Amino acid sequence: MGKIVLVTGGARSGKSTFAEQLFMRLSPNGGIYAATAEAHDEEMMERIRLHRASREASDYEWATVNQPLDLPTWLSQAEQPAVLVDCLTIWLSNELLRAEQEDEAHMEEQLESCIRSMQQVLHTIQGREGIVVMVTNEVGSGVVPAYKLGRIFRDAAGRLNQRMAALADEVYLVTAGIPIELKSRMVEL
């Protein structure tokens, strides 16, 4: 059976580093790194460069695939049984920006459709051999965004994270570089 792991945390918390280390332990013979970020400015280009350099320095057999949009479709067709997705919230923000350009009046419905598609793919992955480790940002711990687009994104990211965590076998919260496994400590009411 498939194994699904969700790694969440705030910005610069160490979640990507932890997810990569965990992935290398779970899949020692290599895997696919599905990168969702797009380099729209110098700062993002530098972040992407640093992530790539870190992977290259690890002496691990990464095959990097850029997948900023349509992630559920790509995941459903991925032949490699070991995939690390970094990161779900960047993918969701890419989908939000596309939805805003295509049909602003139906952005929320389009995001909900993306989230449901990801749920369906993970249900399929649960029934086959392989490992999927997903990195996501915890965005709901701050102030309510002052603008509508920010609120739509924050709410959609919260729904996405809840649904992915419900399907995951393990869920880690990384804070200040310290990972804590949450799902085994979950309180059932």
Side-chain angles (χ1 to χ4, degrees), residues 99-174:
E100 180 187 35
Q101 291 173 356
E102 290 177 0
D103 186 2
E104 188 173 345
H106 296 96
M107 285 186 302
E108 292 176 77
E109 293 90 351
Q110 288 178 321
L111 287 180
E112 182 59 31
S113 177
C114 290
I115 294 168
R116 280 194 310 271
S117 292
M118 185 61 78
Q119 282 180 280
Q120 291 169 350
V121 168
L122 290 184
H123 279 296
T124 301
I125 289 169
Q126 286 176 321
R128 69 180 192 213
E129 290 298 317
I131 298 162
V132 175
V133 175
M134 301 174 295
V135 178
T136 190
N137 287 289
E138 196 57 49
V139 298
S141 298
V143 298
V144 175
Y147 51 96
K148 182 179 179 182
L149 195 62
R151 289 189 300 273
I152 289 170
F153 173 73
R154 186 228 26 214
D155 293 350
R159 289 192 309 275
L160 173 70
N161 288 347
Q162 286 183 53
R163 293 180 195 172
M164 298 306 101
L167 292 169
D169 299 294
E170 298 172 9
V171 177
Y172 293 89
L173 171 65
V174 182

Side-chain angles (χ1 to χ4, degrees), residues 6-176:
L6 184 68
V7 178
T8 188
R12 310 315 277 168
S13 64
K15 61 191 175 296
S16 291
T17 300
F18 170 74
E20 289 173 12
Q21 291 170 348
L22 178 65
F23 186 83
M24 289 187 283
R25 184 175 298 154
L26 294 172
S27 180
N29 297 321
I32 295 177
Y33 189 101
T36 61
E38 293 182 289
H40 292 295
D41 58 33
E42 297 276 333
E43 188 268 340
M44 187 54 94
M45 281 189 254
E46 180 62 12
R47 283 179 182 253
I48 291 170
R49 188 194 68 71
L50 290 172
H51 272 272
R52 283 184 185 150
S54 173
R55 289 194 304 276
E56 290 169 6
S58 71
D59 291 328
Y60 181 78
E61 194 172 321
W62 291 108
T64 301
V65 173
N66 295 318
Q67 198 56 52
L69 296 165
D70 301 318
L71 183 61
T73 301
W74 178 83
L75 265 177
S76 70
Q77 298 168 354
E79 293 184 21
Q80 167 63 262
V83 177
L84 187 151
V85 175
D86 193 358
C87 109
L88 289 177
T89 42
I90 290 178
W91 161 72
L92 190 67
S93 69
N94 294 340
E95 292 288 0
L96 172 66
L97 295 174
R98 177 166 69 172
E100 180 187 35
Q101 291 173 356
E102 290 177 0
D103 186 2
E104 188 173 345
H106 296 96
M107 285 186 302
E108 292 176 77
E109 293 90 351
Q110 288 178 321
L111 287 180
E112 182 59 31
S113 177
C114 290
I115 294 168
R116 280 194 310 271
S117 292
M118 185 61 78
Q119 282 180 280
Q120 291 169 350
V121 168
L122 290 184
H123 279 296
T124 301
I125 289 169
Q126 286 176 321
R128 69 180 192 213
E129 290 298 317
I131 298 162
V132 175
V133 175
M134 301 174 295
V135 178
T136 190
N137 287 289
E138 196 57 49
V139 298
S141 298
V143 298
V144 175
Y147 51 96
K148 182 179 179 182
L149 195 62
R151 289 189 300 273
I152 289 170
F153 173 73
R154 186 228 26 214
D155 293 350
R159 289 192 309 275
L160 173 70
N161 288 347
Q162 286 183 53
R163 293 180 195 172
M164 298 306 101
L167 292 169
D169 299 294
E170 298 172 9
V171 177
Y172 293 89
L173 171 65
V174 182
T175 302

